Amino acid sequence: MIKELLSLPGEVYKNRRLVKKLAKNDFKMKYAGSYFGTIWAFIQPIVTILVYYFVFGVAMRGGSAIQVAGKEFPFVLYLVAGIIPWFFFQEGLVSGTNSFLEYNYLVKKVVFNITVLPVVKLLSALVVHVFFVVFVLILFACYGYFPDVYDIQVLYYSFGLFLLILAMTYVTSSVVVFFRDLSQIINILLQVGVWLTPIMWDVKMLTDNFSWGWIVVKILKLNPVYYIVHGYRNALIEKRWFFEDPWWTLYFWVFTAACFLFGSWVFKRLKIHFADVL
């Protein structure tokens, strides 16, 4: 089991130079031909944040503060702390799912190690994510919340999210080669998922207003992305360590490891047929 779990990361590490080169080219080519180029990678998320902030922070709340741990906190900071990891998850899953379809000319080459292609897409998305993490830290500092030792956990949660997406994309990218509708299904699930993951709202709304709210919260916590979003806020806002939630942390890593095992199995079973289908 351990050998199976480490086989894909091992192959990626052996081809790390190739991965780095392809990821760099992928990021550049994604917006090639457009007037503003790679700037579009940052404009769309910023516009989305502004829209959500206006709707949920100003229009619906009639103000810009939210109660966090018994204290009022700027809603815009609460929003960006949760939506930045979601942007990475969304972009990474969508682009990673279509990696074999997009690079079909490489998949058909017998000598090319196609294991690295989902990683290439994730690294390309990671560039944008790193930019927004820095953006969040600067925004927090502008509001008087300066970086401290707790913020280091953002690296831990980003790493965990990267592995989770990679594990999932080895499944989705393999299946989508044979079932192209999966891309549309994933887009729909992401549209629903952004609302089921407490990003624009606080789960306390359920527990405070409904007697059965705690049951819904337990179900929502089964979503591993919830752990990441909550973790970013723990690090940046509530100033709590990840090991203060040991069982939740254990659940996340067991889930991610299981995804890797399943992803390895699916990928190795299907990859021999990729060239024939593509």
Side-chain angles (χ1 to χ4, degrees):
M1 179 178 293
I2 299 298
K3 182 180 179 180
E4 193 74 15
L5 183 62
L6 298 177
S7 60
L8 291 182
E11 291 183 32
V12 172
Y13 180 76
K14 291 179 182 178
N15 296 272
R16 58 190 180 279
R17 292 183 179 178
L18 175 62
V19 170
K20 182 179 179 180
K21 182 178 180 180
L22 287 175
K24 184 178 180 180
N25 291 336
D26 181 86
F27 182 74
K28 291 181 178 179
M29 293 300 296
K30 187 181 298 184
Y31 303 97
S34 60
Y35 185 78
F36 291 103
T38 56
I39 295 178
W40 288 113
F42 310 101
I43 291 178
Q44 184 176 351
I46 290 176
V47 171
T48 302
I49 291 173
L50 291 175
V51 171
Y52 284 156
Y53 171 65
F54 176 78
V55 173
F56 294 95
V58 179
M60 294 185 64
R61 290 180 173 274
S64 57
I66 185 173
Q67 288 287 332
V68 179
K71 300 179 181 179
E72 284 200 349
F73 198 82
F75 180 77
V76 64
L77 300 184
Y78 179 85
L79 173 63
V80 296
I83 205 169
I84 294 306
W86 177 264
F87 282 155
F88 181 35
F89 175 75
Q90 178 176 266
E91 175 63 22
L93 184 59
V94 171
S95 59
T97 296
N98 296 315
S99 57
F100 295 140
L101 299 179
E102 184 173 338
Y103 287 101
N104 61 80
Y105 58 93
L106 293 178
V107 175
K108 295 177 183 179
K109 291 185 177 182
V110 179
V111 296
F112 187 82
N113 189 346
I114 63 174
T115 305
V116 305
L117 293 179
V119 183
V120 168
K121 285 296 186 179
L122 261 65
L123 287 178
S124 179
L126 183 61
V127 173
V128 180
H129 180 63
V130 170
F131 168 84
F132 277 105
V133 167
V134 175
F135 168 78
V136 168
L137 293 176
I138 294 175
L139 186 62
F140 268 69
C142 290
Y143 276 82
Y145 300 92
F146 297 97
D148 57 23
V149 66
Y150 290 95
D151 295 350
I152 298 176
Q153 294 179 102
V154 171
L155 297 176
Y156 159 76
Y157 288 112
S158 295
F159 176 71
L161 182 57
F162 183 92
L163 292 183
L164 174 65
I165 302 170
L166 182 60
M168 295 177 69
T169 53
Y170 273 119
V171 178
T172 58
S173 61
S174 300
V175 174
V176 79
V177 173
F178 306 91
F179 182 58
R180 304 295 176 91
D181 292 351
L182 180 61
S183 294
Q184 304 304 322
I185 294 174
I186 289 176
N187 286 328
I188 293 174
L189 291 177
L190 287 172
Q191 290 179 9
V192 176
V194 71
W195 300 107
L196 294 181
T197 306
I199 295 174
M200 280 76 71
W201 55 281
D202 190 350
V203 292
K204 291 182 180 179
M205 296 171 58
L206 293 174
T207 55
D208 292 346
N209 298 318
F210 304 99
S211 58
W212 41 263
W214 65 274
I215 300 178
V216 179
V217 172
K218 291 288 185 182
I219 296 174
L220 292 177
K221 285 187 176 182
L222 295 177
N223 173 8
V225 184
Y226 187 131
Y227 171 78
I228 299 296
V229 170
H230 185 73
Y232 269 65
R233 286 175 173 155
N234 273 346
L236 297 169
I237 300 175
E238 298 190 37
K239 303 303 179 183
R240 298 179 70 249
W241 294 104
F242 70 92
F243 49 75
E244 293 184 50
D245 297 307
W247 293 111
W248 201 5
T249 298
L250 178 63
Y251 166 76
F252 172 82
W253 287 108
V254 168
F255 183 94
T256 302
C259 280
F260 252 118
L261 287 173
F262 183 65
S264 299
W265 180 78
V266 172
F267 174 72
K268 291 182 178 180
R269 288 291 297 271
L270 297 180
K271 70 176 182 178
I272 58 176
H273 304 292
F274 288 171
D276 298 331
V277 177
L278 295 172

